[in-house]
Amino acid sequence: MTQPHLTPHPTTDDALSGGGEMGVLIRAKDWSGTPLGPAASWPQSLRTAVSICLGSRFPYLILWGEELVQIYNDAFRPILGPAKHPQALGLSARETWPEVWSTVGPMVDAALHRGEASWVENQLFLFDRGALVEEVYLTFSHSPVRDETGRVGGIFQAVSDVTRGVLGARRLSTLRALTPEARSLEEAAHACLRVLGDNLSDVPFAALYLLEAGGARASLTATSGVSPGTRLAPLSVSLSDADVPWPFSSALQRGAAVQVKGLRERFGEDVPEGPWPERPPGALVLPLARSGRGLAGGSEAVALLVLGVSARLRLDSEYLNFFELVAGHVATALASARAYQEERRRAEALAELDRAKTAFFSNISHEFRTPLTLILGPLDDLLASGQLGEDDKRELSIVQRNAGRLLRLVNSLLDFSRLESGRARAFFESTDLALFTADLASAFRSAAERAGLRWVVDCPPLSAPVQVDREMWEKIVLNLLSNALKFTFEGEVRVELREEAEHLRLRVEDTGTGIPAAELPHVFDRFHRVQGARSRTHEGTGIGLSLVRELVRLHGGVVGVRSTEGQGTCFTVEIPWEHVPSALEVRTESPESTATGARLFVEEASRWSEHAPPEAPPAAAPVPGTSFRGRVLLADDNADMRDYVRRVLSGAFEVECVADGQEALERALARPFDLVLTDVMMPRLGGFGLLRALREAPPTRTLPVIMLSARAGEESAVEGLEAGADDYLVKPFSARELLARVRSNLELVRARRALALQESFAEGLQQSLRARDEFLSVASHELKTPLAAFRLQLELIERNLSPEARTNVGERILQAGKHVRRLARLVETLLDVSELTSSRLELRQEETDLSLLVAETVARMREDFRRAECPVALRTSGVVMGTVDRRRLDQVVENLLHNATKYGAGKPVEVTLTQDARGWLDLCVIDHGMGIAPEDKPRIFDRFERAVSVRRYGGLGLGLWVSRQWVEAHGGQLSVTDTPGGGASFRVTLPGLPLSQTDVS
């Protein structure tokens, strides 16, 4: 464009003043050799544009005249780079930017010739900056500048280099995807390398090697952007070989990344092409830690990761940091996969151990049965011969009873092992089940009456015989009856058998101690025993009810239980009339029998009610060497064991016997004893509980205690001694050993020094917790008063503002009110925490229309929705009635809505409230915001929990915890799921009023 002839402006030097380094260069440059001519002759429009450019800290470029002569400021210099600056000053843009002119040229022409402005965001350019053609992203605009004639004299270009932001977003997306859920190291490796393969611009190729053979070899596990088996990615390498293609040993020794340059010289054509015409010039080798924390060397390393460097990016600190973050994420994925594999191996080992245990039970049970048979047979013959004196007969009767009990336990273990291994088969035969059941139940009558219980057997005749396995049915009935008698101390046990249309029903109901609600789902689990339950004895294996369930299943039936703690329990067995499934084998001859009949069950049950042992005959003479007859208290729930120990000790000591720990504690506190002998496992109060209670009571704090237990081994003894026992004696023991232990412990009474410290600590802890709760409560109440006054004052000021003042300061008052409401909400939360953690939970429930309550809460928060730009939609199914604490439920809804606006700003929020036919209420708060990361979901409702991914949003981390506590206090549930398309959906389910009771008028 030809410049008009203008008189030189006398203030040219002032127009070009300032501008830092570029100002100096512009003033020093001889412009007469350029199309612009001497600076003194520049038009006012150009001088004005240059003055604006030099005075700005934003990157500006002026293109003037048809030749597009360039003038720029200090902020624009980094965009040019050392390859183009300073020679670009005064040069045509077409000559300076040939590599990008195909993109920029049309926009420049449109601005220069047609006066059309343009704006482009995040545009990719490949700038030749000398050392490399670099990947650069710019946001820029072209604004036409008109000269004195009114025509476009030049272009004003504002430029912003957004390369860091674009690369950062791209790399962050890759890092977020590097969290695969894999079940093996290989699966995790391939998943991670697939993610890297989706970002070839940053990682043109990658190879992952797992270390093996103690770190001496590395095997290629996964690749991206490169073919396995090439010189660049060999399948396996020995780290000691001289021709290893990568510096693996150096990376392991340093425990840090090692840079490799000159890939073309090292690998030739094996270097992959990548996304650009130039091949990657270098790579990094990074050792990965076993712990999943990123880089590590030596024995801590588990893998080596090779990452290619882009040919179009400088390997600056940000690029290096990205590679290290990639290494950390891949290490974490490998560590998670390894943890899964180890857990699976542990599970398989446990399963194998369980199979071995079952086989052991089976084998050992068979081995026990032979000697027991040889013991019981001669014993039965000898007792029936009539040739024994009364003393001998009494002693051998004890042996016979306990050998029979052992046989019953062994048979239970054998039955259990058969069921576990799938070798149990039913032998069905036609049976008068009513008569058979009544006979089994009646055998317990004398034992029940001796225990002071009513024993009701109600088994009327059935219309037809029933196909059952008689031996299995016997075990079902005897186990249930024995269990009822064991846990019933007053009232009755009732046995009923009824026939119904499709099945037979056996009910065994008692008025005993009952089962806690939390224990009911586990009563049929093998080896499960209700801890602390009051019973006539603590003896047993914990497999009786599990055995019952499996035997009932073999009959095609089900067993159930209902119980109320302190009132009683009812077990129900149902078997169908046509109960022989084709999948079950009906054998033509009976398997090896493990039936023992009712006698052994009844004899054992009879001994449970014998709390006081018979009087012992007087001792012939005192035990030599004893002149002091100490007083010994013995607690054991086995009557035969009480009898035996009393007879062993009565020659030297005065012995008093009780059947459980609770009675022992009462006797010990009522009168002085010199020593306590206690079994470990007893009803009402076990040995450890008794020991603890004795140590806590001042009169018995130093009383010597010897524990008797069938649990052998050093660990069991250490457990007893650490609990405060003076000695620990494992059954079976000899009379001489028992006497020696009792005598030595009476002479050595150990002090109980540790107890005072424990009591002091426990009391201090309780005081601290009480003080904390009191402080939270008082502080929260004290904060609420001024906050309420502050909030009311703000509202009063806002109402009294003039229209002009409302325009100027109203927004700030609204902001202040918002923060006051937030602080008030935090104070309410602290009060809730105090109430929930100090057992002062109180609900003031009333019949409420939940749809109206939710609508009021949504309306109250309209301003919050407006500020967060969250359109809200409320959908209810009309009147929805429930009995709730209005204030607490309103608080739950507000917390959920507050979360939705906090983490879903700018996105819609949906609130739905429905009620099903049973009356259950379903409230959903659905947002479409950032959602909850999978790793954060398991703890999202924990106290003081703020998920890692949202911590920048602040907060106490108590809102969801408090909400869940209030919902569960109403008997409901609070859960969270992902919203399809993004976001989180919180669901509250509550018991409501049945629809038939809801007044919809």
Side-chain angles (χ1 to χ4, degrees), residues 855 857-867 871-874:
T857 308
V858 171
R860 188 175 66 248
M861 295 185 65
R862 288 287 180 186
E863 183 60 24
D864 293 336
F865 292 126
R866 184 189 68 79
R867 292 182 180 279
V872 60
L874 172 62

Side-chain angles (χ1 to χ4, degrees), residues 390-558:
E390 288 302 316
D391 290 344
D392 293 335
K393 190 173 182 179
R394 184 175 63 248
E395 297 290 342
L396 289 178
S397 294
I398 295 174
V399 176
Q400 183 192 45
R401 278 197 306 273
N402 286 278
R405 180 171 180 268
L406 185 57
L407 177 61
R408 189 172 69 81
L409 294 176
V410 166
N411 284 338
S412 295
L413 287 175
L414 183 57
D415 290 333
F416 182 76
S417 67
R418 284 175 175 170
L419 290 166
E420 286 286 286
S421 62
R423 292 183 292 107
R425 292 292 184 268
F427 176 66
F428 295 104
E429 54 186 307
S430 183
T431 304
D432 184 341
L433 200 59
L435 180 60
F436 186 41
T437 304
D439 287 345
L440 292 171
S442 298
F444 283 87
R445 188 178 302 279
S446 60
E449 292 174 350
R450 190 158 50 249
L453 301 177
R454 293 185 299 278
W455 193 258
V456 180
V457 180
D458 184 9
C459 299
L462 303 177
S463 60
V466 183
Q467 293 287 328
V468 296
D469 184 302
R470 291 177 59 89
E471 185 176 319
M472 290 183 179
W473 186 258
E474 175 184 294
K475 292 169 186 173
I476 292 170
V477 175
L478 295 178
N479 272 291
L480 292 178
L481 294 178
S482 175
N483 196 69
L485 186 57
K486 181 177 180 179
F487 291 97
T488 306
F489 291 84
E490 57 186 21
E492 70 175 26
V493 174
R494 176 177 292 273
V495 185
E496 291 182 356
L497 183 68
R498 293 288 187 273
E499 60 177 298
E500 299 185 6
E502 297 182 352
H503 58 262
L504 297 168
R505 175 178 294 156
L506 170 69
R507 294 175 68 248
V508 177
E509 187 171 9
D510 64 61
T511 57
T513 56
I515 303 170
E519 299 284 353
L520 282 174
H522 308 290
V523 293
F524 295 108
D525 294 349
R526 58 180 181 173
F527 310 121
H528 180 77
R529 304 174 71 178
V530 179
Q531 298 299 319
R534 184 189 176 203
S535 62
R536 296 183 179 275
T537 180
H538 203 74
E539 295 172 338
T541 60
I543 63 174
L545 291 177
S546 175
L547 186 63
V548 167
R549 180 179 61 181
E550 298 306 319
L551 295 177
V552 171
R553 282 180 178 174
L554 286 177
H555 283 76
V558 294

Side-chain angles (χ1 to χ4, degrees), residues 924-927 975-980 983-987:
C924 282
V925 177
I926 305 166
D927 69 63
S975 59
V976 62
T977 57
D978 292 332
T979 301
S985 299
F986 287 85
R987 180 181 299 275

Side-chain angles (χ1 to χ4, degrees), residues 95 167 198 614 702 842 906 950:
E95 299 178 38
L167 295 182
D198 292 334
T702 59
E842 181 179 357
V950 297

Side-chain angles (χ1 to χ4, degrees), residues 933-975:
E935 63 271 19
D936 295 338
K937 282 183 182 177
R939 61 178 189 277
I940 196 69
F941 293 107
D942 290 351
R943 183 165 39 168
F944 304 116
E945 180 56 43
R946 292 178 299 163
V948 174
S949 56
V950 297
R951 284 184 177 168
R952 66 179 183 274
Y953 288 88
L956 295 176
L958 289 170
L960 289 178
W961 178 80
V962 168
S963 298
R964 184 176 228 180
Q965 303 305 308
W966 290 130
V967 170
E968 291 180 350
H970 282 81
Q973 290 184 335
L974 173 59
S975 59

Side-chain angles (χ1 to χ4, degrees), residues 111-446:
L112 186 64
H113 298 124
R114 298 192 298 275
E116 297 176 1
S118 59
W119 168 269
V120 178
E121 287 186 301
N122 301 341
Q123 178 65 49
L124 169 64
F125 290 105
L126 300 175
F127 282 1
D128 186 354
R129 289 176 170 170
L132 75 161
V133 177
E134 192 170 345
E135 185 181 354
V136 177
Y137 294 86
L138 300 178
T139 293
F140 58 91
S141 65
H142 294 102
S143 303
V145 178
R146 299 188 180 273
D147 60 18
E148 286 72 11
T149 67
R151 293 179 298 173
V152 177
I155 299 171
F156 205 67
Q157 187 180 63
V159 184
S160 179
D161 188 340
V162 294
T163 304
R164 291 181 60 184
V166 172
L167 295 182
R170 185 173 75 194
R171 291 165 180 173
L172 181 60
S173 176
T174 296
L175 293 174
R176 283 176 173 169
L178 280 175
T179 55
E181 293 184 1
R183 299 187 175 187
S184 68
L185 290 175
E186 293 74 15
E187 185 180 339
H190 285 288
C192 289
L193 272 289
R194 279 196 298 272
V195 172
L196 296 180
D198 292 334
N199 184 6
L200 295 177
S201 296
D202 285 309
V203 189
F205 69 87
L208 180 61
Y209 286 83
L210 293 181
L211 295 176
E212 57 184 38
R217 295 194 65 83
S219 296
L220 182 65
T221 306
T223 64
S224 66
V226 62
S227 299
T230 60
R231 283 195 300 156
L232 187 138
L235 298 179
S236 180
V237 295
S238 172
L239 271 60
S240 60
D241 289 349
D243 60 346
V244 175
W246 300 106
F248 287 161
S249 296
S250 177
L252 291 173
Q253 290 171 3
R254 293 174 52 186
V258 175
Q259 184 177 356
V260 181
K261 299 180 180 179
L263 294 191
R264 287 297 299 271
E265 292 77 8
R266 183 184 289 254
F267 297 106
E269 294 301 318
D270 283 344
V271 179
E273 293 183 355
W276 308 112
E278 303 91 347
R279 303 197 181 202
L284 261 69
V285 177
L286 304 101
L288 306 186
R290 177 179 297 273
S291 61
R293 295 180 180 176
L295 304 183
S299 60
E300 287 297 317
V302 68
L304 290 153
L305 181 62
V306 180
L307 299 176
V309 177
S310 173
R312 293 290 174 90
L313 294 172
R314 286 178 292 111
L315 190 58
D316 55 14
S317 60
E318 292 183 357
Y319 200 3
L320 287 169
N321 184 55
F322 167 67
F323 279 146
E324 291 185 354
L325 290 173
V326 166
H329 281 64
V330 174
T332 299
L334 294 178
S336 299
R338 183 179 295 104
Y340 176 85
Q341 285 182 313
E342 291 174 354
E343 185 63 31
R344 184 174 180 180
R345 281 194 292 269
R346 282 194 293 270
E348 291 173 350
L350 287 174
E352 180 59 33
L353 181 63
D354 190 59
R355 288 190 291 270
K357 178 187 65 179
T358 300
F360 169 77
F361 280 160
S362 179
N363 295 336
I364 202 68
S365 299
H366 276 289
E367 293 301 317
F368 273 139
R369 282 162 61 89
T370 299
L372 281 172
T373 301
L374 297 175
I375 292 172
L376 284 168
L379 268 177
D380 292 341
D381 293 340
L382 192 57
L383 286 170
S385 67
Q387 301 174 3
L388 299 174
E390 288 302 316
D391 290 344
D392 293 335
K393 190 173 182 179
R394 184 175 63 248
E395 297 290 342
L396 289 178
S397 294
I398 295 174
V399 176
Q400 183 192 45
R401 278 197 306 273
N402 286 278
R405 180 171 180 268
L406 185 57
L407 177 61
R408 189 172 69 81
L409 294 176
V410 166
N411 284 338
S412 295
L413 287 175
L414 183 57
D415 290 333
F416 182 76
S417 67
R418 284 175 175 170
L419 290 166
E420 286 286 286
S421 62
R423 292 183 292 107
R425 292 292 184 268
F427 176 66
F428 295 104
E429 54 186 307
S430 183
T431 304
D432 184 341
L433 200 59
L435 180 60
F436 186 41
T437 304
D439 287 345
L440 292 171
S442 298
F444 283 87
R445 188 178 302 279
S446 60

Side-chain angles (χ1 to χ4, degrees), residues 767-785:
Q767 290 177 357
S768 174
L769 291 174
R770 287 194 294 270
R772 181 206 63 186
D773 292 334
E774 183 178 359
F775 169 76
L776 282 175
S777 179
V778 172
S780 301
H781 279 292
E782 289 299 316
L783 285 170
K784 286 181 70 177
T785 301

Side-chain angles (χ1 to χ4, degrees), residues 736-756:
R736 177 181 293 182
E737 183 181 13
L738 177 61
L739 278 167
R741 296 286 186 96
V742 171
R743 188 179 296 114
S744 63
N745 278 279
L746 283 173
E747 295 170 355
L748 300 173
V749 179
R750 294 185 176 91
R752 314 296 179 184
R753 296 186 182 93
L755 184 62

